[in-house]
Amino acid sequence: MSRSTCFVQPCPTCGRSLQIRVEYLGREVVCEHCHGKLRAADPQAAQVPHGGAGDLLRRADELLESTRWPTQP
């Protein structure tokens, strides 16, 4: 028997951890404990900080540049 891939998301109504199948990402689901409704969204998915993607990419470039070996003249 094959097992489904799931992720854990807290219910915004009762706070319990729910195991949700990845097939339900983006869909409305119902908490089996309190019957509260929520949209299935993986909380581990990368979120862009308030500064936006441009700031994040600029910071990544700075970090990469700081790890490079000095070039020979």
Side-chain angles (χ1 to χ4, degrees):
M1 179 177 257
S2 67
R3 298 178 70 182
S4 295
T5 302
C6 297
F7 62 94
V8 177
Q9 179 176 347
C11 173
T13 305
C14 70
R16 291 188 182 186
S17 295
L18 306 174
Q19 287 191 355
I20 301 173
R21 290 182 181 182
V22 294
E23 294 89 30
Y24 296 120
L25 277 171
R27 296 185 185 174
E28 187 175 89
V29 296
V30 177
C31 175
E32 61 186 33
H33 304 286
C34 71
H35 305 289
K37 294 181 181 178
L38 63 138
R39 183 150 316 271
D42 185 2
Q44 298 297 321
Q47 296 181 8
V48 176
H50 295 294
D55 288 341
L56 181 60
L57 291 173
R58 187 171 34 260
R59 180 68 180 134
D61 286 339
E62 290 171 3
L63 291 171
L64 287 171
E65 191 65 34
S66 71
T67 62
R68 291 198 178 141
W69 291 90
T71 57
Q72 297 289 327

